[in-house]
Amino acid sequence: MSTPNPRPDTPVVSVRDLRVYYGTPKGPARAVDRVSLDIRAGETLGVVGESGSGKSTLGRGILGLLPEGTGLAGEVLYQGQNLVGLPKDELRKMRGPELGLIFQEPMTRLNPLLRIQEHFEETLRQHHPKLTKDEIRKRALNALGRTGIPPTRYKQYPHEFSGGMRQRIMIALALVLEPTLLIADEPTTALDVIVEAQIIRLLADLKRTSGTAVMLITHNLGIVAEACDRVAVMYGGKIVEEGNARQVFADPQHPYTRELLASTIALETRELHTIPGVPPSLITPPPGCLFHPRCPDAMKICAALAPPEEHLEGRRRVQCWRHAAPGGIPAGQDAPLEREEISVASEA
């Protein structure tokens, strides 16, 4: 299935009000809760947040790679077509040449009984059945070479590679089909800093030469600062702040973003900073703003009502009561929230 190249100002993918719920004995876990975002051609969006914030589920929800029985609602508009509710066969044909994904766990994704050569042959033949064996080999070796894997390793088995090299093979398998949208879920996990820098350059080259739209899911804020045009900060299944990466890093508007950045270790770090408390339950989340039990700036209203989304200059948005329009907070509700009140609200 071929799709036209999008205009630079047209999003390759537009996510609107996406919800992903997992069923549990105690009720649905809201892993992704009403998320909206756009990614344009040649743009890299970094998605950051603590473990359990919904980053990986968001990526898999966009591609429809969710366990059976998972609740999925909203819209994922890929070049004008809604992927939510699309028949599985149609969605499967789009994955690879149009929708690419780099998984976190390379060893569980590579078949231990197949050589690396056979992985590439299977991938390319599925989507390009007319390619000759020589053409497949040429494409595969080119993709492997771009990730630093020499051609002498082409006929080896996955167990003959280190964890970092297996991760690079997974990246090469995703890149060999040159997808229009690439979701990279922790692509530099288990890689040393030299190879990590090589992968970041590779993703930058891909979006520059092919116009690929990239969603980079990571815990590493340093990678986001170096490789991403925009950043979306997730907390409790929601995007609490999104904007230009440089602006967000230089002047975070949400307390959670500020706390995340303060927790990052740099050369100037003299003592470690941590965010108190734990991430919210996705089954029984706290009332009001999900971050208020841990927020140093929490006000009384934060424990009572969820904050509205405020749009700032330059495609920037934030969900925080401190950015509410004048008069948007009732009298007396802008007073600081005492720790005792936080405990009561969290237990409610």
Side-chain angles (χ1 to χ4, degrees):
M1 174 178 169
S2 60
T3 56
N5 292 326
R7 299 194 313 270
D9 61 338
T10 303
V12 171
V13 62
S14 292
V15 178
R16 292 292 176 267
D17 200 31
L18 187 67
R19 286 150 286 162
V20 181
Y21 291 0
Y22 295 122
T24 76
K26 296 182 179 181
R30 302 173 182 86
V32 174
D33 194 8
R34 299 186 179 279
V35 164
S36 297
L37 57 83
D38 293 333
I39 311 178
R40 290 168 166 77
E43 181 178 65
T44 298
L45 173 70
V47 181
V48 301
E50 294 169 288
S51 295
S53 61
K55 306 184 302 298
S56 294
T57 298
L58 173 60
R60 292 170 181 268
I62 290 174
L63 299 183
L65 289 171
L66 295 168
E68 288 291 335
T70 302
L72 178 65
E75 290 185 333
V76 177
L77 300 175
Y78 170 73
Q79 298 185 352
Q81 182 179 23
N82 188 8
L83 303 184
V84 175
L86 201 66
K88 290 184 178 180
D89 289 344
E90 289 187 38
L91 199 54
R92 190 177 296 113
K93 291 177 183 178
M94 298 173 70
R95 295 192 196 112
E98 298 182 56
L99 308 171
L101 175 65
I102 300 173
F103 291 97
Q104 286 187 47
E105 314 89 0
M107 198 54 190
T108 61
R109 304 298 171 183
L110 294 172
N111 188 329
L113 302 179
L114 297 182
R115 300 175 190 270
I116 300 306
Q117 170 187 350
E118 294 167 308
H119 282 85
F120 279 93
E121 289 174 350
E122 182 179 51
T123 298
L124 285 166
R125 280 177 179 154
Q126 182 176 359
H127 298 286
H128 301 287
K130 295 183 180 180
L131 287 178
T132 66
K133 192 168 184 177
D134 287 343
E135 289 171 332
I136 290 175
R137 176 183 172 84
K138 183 178 179 179
R139 289 197 184 192
L141 292 181
N142 178 59
L144 287 168
R146 292 168 69 187
T147 59
I149 304 293
T152 53
R153 310 294 299 273
Y154 187 50
K155 294 187 178 182
Q156 292 183 323
Y157 288 93
H159 73 268
E160 298 179 85
F161 294 85
S162 67
M165 294 186 82
R166 289 195 294 266
Q167 183 71 312
R168 283 186 274 167
I169 291 169
M170 287 298 305
I171 293 171
L173 280 167
L175 299 184
V176 74
L177 294 170
E178 297 184 345
T180 307
L181 171 67
L182 177 64
I183 296 179
D185 192 354
E186 298 283 1
T188 58
T189 297
L191 303 183
D192 60 54
V193 292
I194 295 176
V195 179
E196 180 181 275
Q198 181 185 25
I199 297 304
I200 295 305
R201 287 196 301 270
L202 176 61
L203 293 176
D205 289 342
L206 180 70
K207 70 174 187 175
R208 185 177 62 253
T209 58
S210 305
T212 301
V214 180
M215 175 187 283
L216 178 60
I217 300 169
T218 182
H219 289 88
N220 192 326
L221 296 179
I223 289 178
V224 174
E226 180 181 354
C228 296
D229 305 295
R230 300 181 58 75
V231 58
V233 182
M234 290 195 70
Y235 186 78
K238 298 178 180 290
I239 292 180
V240 296
E241 182 170 0
E242 184 195 356
N244 176 278
R246 290 187 178 182
Q247 291 178 343
V248 171
F249 276 61
D251 186 24
Q253 296 298 302
H254 196 284
Y256 178 62
T257 308
R258 189 182 68 224
E259 293 294 300
L260 272 184
L261 291 171
S263 303
T264 303
I265 298 175
L267 292 175
E268 300 80 16
T269 301
R270 293 294 177 266
E271 61 181 47
L272 297 179
H273 176 81
T274 59
I275 306 175
V278 296
S281 168
L282 300 179
I283 301 173
T284 55
C289 173
L290 296 180
F291 188 57
H292 88 260
R294 310 171 71 189
C295 180
D297 301 335
M299 301 179 290
K300 288 181 179 295
I301 194 171
C302 301
L305 298 174
E309 182 173 274
E310 300 293 339
H311 291 262
L312 311 179
E313 294 183 6
R315 291 175 62 198
R316 194 168 184 185
R317 57 189 171 123
V318 62
Q319 291 186 9
C320 180
W321 277 112
R322 291 195 171 272
H323 293 276
I329 301 178
Q333 291 297 301
D334 58 351
L337 189 65
E338 301 298 333
R339 287 291 125 185
E340 293 78 9
E341 295 176 285
I342 292 176
S343 298
V344 173
S346 299
E347 294 169 2

